[in-house]
Amino acid sequence: MVSYFKLAQIYRYLIVLVEPQTPWKMDVRELVKRNSHGVDIKSIRRRANDYEMVMPRYLGWFLNRADSIGLIRCSKDLLVRALLSCKEFHEDFRAFSGCDRIEEMIYFYTRKNCVGLSQQLLHITSRFFRFKKGQENFDLSFYDKFMGLTSNLSIAGFCITKETLGAKLVLDQTQLGLWEQNDHEISRPDPPSDVKNGHSQPRQNVPDHDSQDDHADNHLYSSLVHRSLQVSDDELTQSKGRRAHITIGTSGDVRPVQTGLDTIQIMNSLQKNSQPFSFKLPSGPGMIGGTLIKIDPEHWFLKLERYLTVNAIFTGSY
C-alpha cells in the first residue's frame, strides 16, 4: 500500500484504513469462493500469508487543507494585532526572536520542522505508538468505531513562546475518551543547533508552506468559526487534555513536540498564578476578541474571549 500512501501525501489526502470485520476475512477457501475477480487459490493464499497489519505512527484529529490554511492565517493575524497593540509583548517578542520588524516577526515561526504531510495539514495527536521489534501487532479494535469520524475542535487560545506557536484546545468528553497523551511531561528535548544562550538566532526567513499557498488554495472554504460560547478557565486548565494543542509553527530547528511541553508549562502557570500581567486586545465588529497574558518574558498566552471551532477527522498517520 506504500504507493497509495505516497499518492495521498502528494495530493493532500488523509488516509482511513478499514479492515473487514467478517470472521472469514483470512479464510483462504472462503475467500476463493467469494472473490469475483477470478483470483486463484494460490495467489490468495500467498497474499494471506504475506499480510501484515499496517500500524499508524500516531492517531489524532486532522484538519483538511482549507482549515489548516484558515487556522494558520487566523493565528498570524492575531499575532500581528498583539504585536501592534501591546508594547510589552512586542518588546519581549523582539528580545527572544531577534527580529526587529513586524514583517520578520510573523515569519519567525515556520512549519519546516514538521514531517511529510503535516507540513501542510495541521493535526492534534491523541496517541503515539512506540513499538519495540516484535510488538508491532497492537490491537487497534478499540479505535475502529471512531476511525473516519469528524468532530469539532474547540480552540481556546494560543501559546506564544520563544520556540513555538500553538493553538490550545479544549477537548469534549468523547475526545477526552480517545486522549492518551502525557499531560504532565516536563522533560525537554535537546536545544536546537541555532539556539545559543537561550535565544534563537535571527534567520533570513522566506515565506514557507503556510504563506506560499498554492493558487488553488485561495478558493478553498474553511470550517473555522468564531462561536458565541465564552472560553472557560476551568476547562482551559483541566488536568486531562492539558497538553491538547495544534502546532502552528516552531522557530529555528525546534521540533513540533516542544509545543506540547510549552502548552503544559503555560497551563500550569495559569492555574497557579492568579494575578499575571494581562492586556486586552482592542477589538471591533467582526474581530476576534482576546487577552494577552504574560507568564514570563519568553512565554505568553493569548486567551480568546470565545471559542473558535474547526472540523477535523479522526484517523492515523501512516
Side-chain angles (χ1 to χ4, degrees), residues 12 65 69 72-73 76 107 119-120 205-218:
R12 302 169 183 163
R65 178 63 174 164
I69 292 173
I72 289 172
R73 287 177 176 171
K76 294 295 181 74
Y107 294 125
Q119 282 197 351
Q120 299 188 31
N205 282 329
V206 295
D208 59 345
H209 287 289
D210 45 287
S211 53
Q212 286 185 332
D213 304 328
D214 291 348
H215 179 70
D217 291 339
N218 294 326

Side-chain angles (χ1 to χ4, degrees), residues 99-117:
C99 300
D100 293 320
R101 298 181 299 128
I102 295 290
E103 292 79 3
E104 296 173 333
M105 293 176 178
I106 61 174
Y107 294 125
F108 177 65
Y109 305 107
T110 76
R111 297 191 61 75
K112 73 180 183 67
N113 298 316
C114 299
V115 178
L117 192 59

Side-chain angles (χ1 to χ4, degrees), residues 22-224:
T22 54
W24 44 267
K25 67 179 182 179
M26 299 301 289
D27 185 328
V28 174
R29 295 190 179 278
E30 190 66 28
L31 291 172
V32 171
K33 289 181 188 178
R34 292 175 178 267
N35 98 85
S36 59
H37 301 287
V39 184
D40 59 74
I41 187 170
K42 184 178 179 180
S43 298
I44 291 179
R45 180 176 289 112
R46 184 178 67 252
R47 293 178 185 178
N49 291 337
D50 292 343
Y51 174 81
E52 292 183 5
M53 185 175 181
V54 180
M55 294 297 300
R57 293 176 296 164
Y58 53 87
L59 297 173
W61 293 272
F62 294 76
L63 280 62
N64 63 28
R65 178 63 174 164
D67 290 328
S68 297
I69 292 173
L71 182 52
I72 289 172
R73 287 177 176 171
C74 176
S75 65
K76 294 295 181 74
D77 288 345
L78 285 167
L79 178 60
V80 170
R81 284 176 56 199
L83 289 166
L84 291 175
S85 59
C86 181
K87 182 179 179 181
E88 185 164 349
F89 175 66
H90 185 281
E91 290 176 349
D92 283 350
F93 196 99
R94 180 180 179 183
F96 67 63
S97 69
C99 300
D100 293 320
R101 298 181 299 128
I102 295 290
E103 292 79 3
E104 296 173 333
M105 293 176 178
I106 61 174
Y107 294 125
F108 177 65
Y109 305 107
T110 76
R111 297 191 61 75
K112 73 180 183 67
N113 298 316
C114 299
V115 178
L117 192 59
S118 64
Q119 282 197 351
Q120 299 188 31
L121 299 183
L122 303 182
H123 73 278
I124 166 178
T125 302
S126 63
R127 174 169 184 170
F128 273 108
F129 291 97
R130 297 181 177 90
F131 298 110
K132 296 180 180 178
K133 191 171 183 180
Q135 295 181 340
E136 295 85 355
N137 292 326
F138 185 85
D139 184 8
L140 293 176
S141 58
F142 170 77
Y143 305 100
D144 285 348
K145 64 181 178 180
F146 301 102
M147 288 293 191
L149 295 182
T150 60
S151 60
N152 282 332
L153 298 178
S154 297
I155 301 165
F158 295 87
C159 297
I160 307 168
T161 78
K162 70 173 183 176
E163 295 181 318
T164 66
L165 172 63
K168 173 66 179 82
L169 305 184
V170 170
L171 304 179
D172 63 27
Q173 290 304 309
T174 299
Q175 292 161 349
L176 285 172
L178 294 166
W179 182 253
E180 299 179 70
Q181 288 278 53
N182 185 349
D183 291 308
H184 307 287
E185 188 176 2
I186 58 174
S187 61
R188 297 169 61 88
D190 294 332
S193 59
D194 66 345
V195 174
K196 299 177 182 179
N197 300 323
H199 295 272
S200 298
Q201 303 305 300
R203 294 181 294 115
Q204 298 300 317
N205 282 329
V206 295
D208 59 345
H209 287 289
D210 45 287
S211 53
Q212 286 185 332
D213 304 328
D214 291 348
H215 179 70
D217 291 339
N218 294 326
H219 302 287
L220 299 175
Y221 293 94
S222 172
S223 69
L224 189 66

